[in-house]
Amino acid sequence: DKNLLKSKFRGSLLGSLLGDCLGSPFEGDVITPGEKLVIQKYFDKLETPDLKGPKRCYTDDTAMMKEVAKTLIDKPEIDYKHMAKLFVKEYFSEPHRGYGQNVVEVFNKLRKTKFEDIYKPAKEQFNGSGSFGNGGAMRIAPVALYFHDNYDAMINVAKQSTEITHTNSLGVHGAVLQCIAVHQALSHDPKTAITPKDFCDELTKKIKVVESENDDGLGLHDQNPYEDKLNFVNYFLGIKCHEELDEEVAQNLGNSIAAYDSVPTAIYSFMRAVQNDIPTVNTDNLFRRTIQYAITLGGDTDTIACMAGAMAGAYLGEEAIDKNMAKQCEGYEMIVDLADKLYAAAVK
Ligand code: 8NA
Ligand code: MG
Ligand code: MG
Ligand code: MG
């Protein structure tokens, strides 16, 4: 169904935008029970029609995501140099979007070297180990949408587009996992309920294949960190949701700017919202429940909500997103337009 797929494209990019815009005021916070109540009221208010006041601004997550989408729209053959240029142009046009502390060095070097080797600056980060930040994962949703019918190409493009800024395997595989999660949500019929365990098991199988490229034949246990994390996601989903569990999740699954400590947490947030057993989040709307819950886990709230929102939106489509809430986000119309152009480029 073409209309459904088009709605899912919009849903996923809007999900990403809303998670970013609505999550960013809480970035870096430890969320107390009292603050969860504040967040509940904040979301209730966002559903008010024609709410006045300034728009909620987007940050680096959306700024970079829209440039990934533009790259896919602009050229039929994926042009990574073009993508690198769009990232750098975007950064220097609006540098105050809250970029990660170190990724700016990559932008500076790319510009200075006139994009001669677009992968070199990222490789040099952190004494050659490369960044494991979640900056590759936060912007990846357009790749999952564009390659909705070509899984192998999707994995390949997810890796190469991430490596422009993040070359540490944790950063790359985190982006790939986020991409696979959005892709899987996209292919799920919104009229049929997702079974969290099945969803996680399928993700585990797929990320295992991706992580096997790390295999050095030593048979050590720490070779598949994302596979291990997904097992933790399943474990936590089996425990009744309560205040203390949220703290344990934040500590064990993580809520930081590291991809390893945020992508599995975004998946967990979406799955917990699907289970619909969160005592601190009160809404019938699955999309809202997903991003609101992600934010209550604290830490890198804009990015975790952005990633969880991209999954929920890809599953549900744009109709599931409250229009009043969406309209309060900066760039709402721009993102809808971008989703439609991406759809036109992806579906011939
Ligand atoms: P990045 O590549 O600069 O990575 C982010 C941070 O992760 C770095 O500044 C380091 O502190 C740490 N890091 C990454 N790799 C390594 C490594 N190999 N060794 C040691 N430390 C490492 O930028 P990015 O694009 O990945 O960042 C994305 C995040 O930045 C998003 O959350 C986004 O919203 C933004 N942001 C987050 C915060 C926050 O405090 N949560 C604040 C401002 C901006
Ligand atoms: Mg951000
Ligand atoms: Mg920020
Ligand atoms: Mg962030």
Side-chain angles (χ1 to χ4, degrees), residues 20 24 27 59-61 97-98 138 300 302-303:
D20 179 16
S24 90
E27 197 174 40
T59 74
D60 57 328
D61 306 60
R97 290 278 185 191
M138 72 188 184
D300 193 3
D302 65 333
T303 305

Side-chain angles (χ1 to χ4, degrees), residues 9 50 55 71 79 94 99 105 120 125 132 139 152 159 202 240 246 250 266 279 286 305 333 336 346 348:
F9 270 55
D50 307 311
K55 297 230 175 183
T71 307
D79 181 342
E94 295 183 345
Y99 285 85
E105 273 172 45
K120 191 162 173 262
Q125 292 290 89
F132 52 60
R139 66 184 189 231
D152 293 340
K159 285 180 189 163
E202 202 179 328
K240 197 171 179 289
D246 289 353
L286 171 56
E333 285 88 1
V336 169
K348 269 140 211 150

